[in-house]
Amino acid sequence: WSGPESRVEGGGQAVPTSAREHGDLSRLRSSSLEIREKEIREKGSEILREQLDAAKRELKLKDKECERLSQVRNQLEQELEELTASLFEEAHKMVREANVKQAAAEKQLKEAQGKIDVLQAEVTALKTLVLTSTPSSPNRQLHPQLQPSGTRGAYKHVGGHIRNKSASGLPAVDTLNRYFIDRMDSVLYAEFLMWREHPSLDRSSAFLSRIYREDIGPCLSFTRSELSQLVQSAVENNSLTIEPVAMSALPMVKASAIECGGPNGFRAAIETKCALSGVSRLCRHRIKLGDKGSYYYISPSSRARITAVCNFFTYIRYIQQGLVRHDAEQMFWEVMRLRREMTVAKLGFYLTDQG
């Protein structure tokens, strides 16, 4: 048996041939691995660069798309603003046109109402002329042939009726208007016109302050002052209830047997003390203040005074709410009529339920 081949190198030491070859092979393998790893790293770097370039290109495309969408959004917002402005302008134009038409319609309505008032005044004047003409004493204004020849031209035949063109004789339309205007208190009317510009229930206005002082206060001033104040507050707040007492529920009883008011009032015509005046009267009605459970029996005179004030407040509330379509003069005369009712009721005059 012969051992592995060996040789002597530099120092004379023998190195086996197979070991040397094994070292060369190891070095070759190591070098090959390094080369392969280098190739892999270069390949990986190249792939990463390609992916980075692709990502950059995609990001640039997305930036362009975002920019385009932003431009589209800005354009849509601008168009929306222009459309909104156009719609508002059109709406304002329609409102202006509607207001103009409404003003024209109200003017025509007022003119028509004025013409109706004129015609009614003329009819009233003509009725007066007809009623004052009798066979024994004919009205010369209805029979122009009875007038002297020099005055016949002062009358004109219109629609089968005789209309006086002069201001003499019975009052014509203008004369009637002047008659009513002369009767109107200019100070009261001016106060009413100022209140009508901004109608409210605030008693600080000159119009309501005067009526409170001259009409409402005296009309609701009863002997029982504390209850009178509560009644006035309920009338102002529109929370007062007046209801009749049933006639068939209970027979007549003595005044001393019944206390005024109370939550369990009798439903009958009760002869008892009026809760407001303190005088024994036949109380056919009772009142309730707001949501309180107590009832107070009142006499017919007290009821008339409260009702007159309630009617006045109802009418001015209608004016405040815009429910009254009359002109200022008609409103004023209705207010004066309601004031007269309060004055008459305050003096003790009233209509019974039987008229």
Side-chain angles (χ1 to χ4, degrees):
W1 180 82
S2 61
E5 183 181 358
S6 61
R7 63 178 181 177
V8 180
E9 294 183 356
Q13 183 178 1
V15 179
T17 304
S18 59
R20 183 166 55 94
E21 291 178 352
H22 180 70
D24 293 338
L25 183 58
S26 296
R27 285 192 296 273
L28 288 175
R29 287 179 179 175
S30 176
S31 176
S32 175
L33 287 174
E34 290 177 356
I35 293 172
R36 189 171 182 180
E37 288 177 357
K38 184 178 180 181
E39 290 178 352
I40 290 174
R41 282 196 300 271
E42 291 177 355
K43 188 68 174 178
S45 298
E46 184 178 357
I47 293 174
L48 291 175
R49 281 194 297 272
E50 291 178 355
Q51 290 178 352
L52 180 61
D53 294 339
K56 288 181 178 179
R57 288 192 298 271
E58 186 176 358
L59 183 60
K60 184 180 290 186
L61 292 176
K62 289 186 179 297
D63 289 340
K64 290 183 179 179
E65 183 66 16
C66 289
E67 184 178 358
R68 186 183 68 82
L69 292 176
S70 178
Q71 292 177 354
V72 171
R73 185 190 63 184
N74 294 335
Q75 184 178 359
L76 290 176
E77 289 179 352
Q78 183 178 0
E79 291 178 355
L80 181 60
E81 290 179 357
E82 294 177 354
L83 179 61
T84 304
S86 176
L87 290 176
F88 272 110
E89 184 178 357
E90 187 68 21
H92 290 162
K93 182 179 178 182
M94 293 174 65
V95 170
R96 286 195 299 270
E97 292 177 353
N99 290 335
V100 171
K101 291 180 180 179
Q102 182 180 359
E106 290 178 353
K107 182 179 179 181
Q108 292 177 357
L109 178 60
K110 189 173 182 180
E111 292 176 353
Q113 289 177 345
K115 292 179 181 178
I116 291 174
D117 293 339
V118 170
L119 293 175
Q120 288 177 346
E122 290 185 353
V123 169
T124 302
L126 290 174
K127 285 182 179 179
T128 304
L129 290 173
V130 172
L131 292 175
T132 56
S133 178
T134 62
S136 60
S137 179
N139 194 317
R140 294 180 181 275
Q141 295 178 4
L142 290 177
H143 304 280
Q145 67 274 13
L146 300 179
Q147 295 287 340
S149 59
T151 59
R152 292 181 183 178
Y155 299 90
K156 184 178 180 181
H157 188 275
V158 179
H161 298 283
I162 305 300
R163 180 179 298 176
N164 189 356
K165 295 174 60 179
S166 67
S168 61
L170 292 176
V173 176
D174 294 338
T175 308
L176 288 172
N177 289 338
R178 287 195 298 272
Y179 170 71
F180 287 116
I181 293 173
D182 290 340
R183 291 179 58 198
M184 185 184 301
D185 189 312
S186 59
V187 176
L188 295 179
Y189 188 57
E191 291 176 351
F192 172 74
L193 291 180
M194 290 179 62
W195 175 84
R196 183 171 173 267
E197 291 295 327
H198 304 284
S200 68
L201 299 181
D202 185 6
R203 66 171 69 184
S204 63
S205 65
F207 168 69
L208 283 183
S209 177
R210 177 189 295 274
I211 296 178
Y212 265 98
R213 183 176 62 254
E214 298 177 357
D215 302 308
I216 297 175
C219 197
L220 295 182
S221 178
F222 297 96
T223 305
R224 304 292 175 83
S225 59
E226 184 176 353
L227 183 58
S228 299
Q229 291 296 325
L230 295 177
V231 169
Q232 180 172 328
S233 298
V235 172
E236 293 171 348
N237 298 329
N238 198 21
S239 60
L240 183 138
T241 303
I242 303 178
E243 61 182 34
V245 180
M247 297 297 297
S248 60
L250 285 176
M252 302 289 291
V253 295
K254 295 291 185 179
S256 59
I258 297 177
E259 294 292 334
C260 295
N264 299 317
F266 296 97
R267 298 185 59 82
I270 300 174
E271 184 181 353
T272 183
K273 287 185 178 182
C274 173
L276 291 169
S277 65
V279 179
S280 296
R281 287 290 184 269
L282 186 65
C283 298
R284 300 179 181 273
H285 294 81
R286 62 182 184 176
I287 60 174
K288 185 173 74 168
L289 308 179
D291 296 331
K292 296 181 180 179
S294 299
Y295 286 93
Y296 301 92
Y297 290 94
I298 59 174
S299 64
S301 176
S302 299
R303 179 213 175 198
R305 292 165 67 173
I306 296 173
T307 302
V309 178
C310 288
N311 291 338
F312 171 77
F313 273 102
T314 298
Y315 187 70
I316 63 173
R317 284 193 188 98
Y318 285 165
I319 297 177
Q320 182 189 19
Q321 296 168 6
L323 301 177
V324 182
R325 299 300 184 183
H326 297 157
D327 56 23
E329 288 187 13
Q330 290 175 305
M331 292 183 188
F332 178 75
W333 287 117
E334 179 63 17
V335 168
M336 297 301 291
R337 186 188 69 80
L338 294 170
R339 292 188 65 185
R340 182 183 63 188
E341 284 187 0
M342 288 189 283
T343 300
V344 171
K346 176 183 62 179
L347 295 175
F349 297 96
Y350 60 92
L351 295 176
T352 62
D353 293 339
Q354 289 78 19

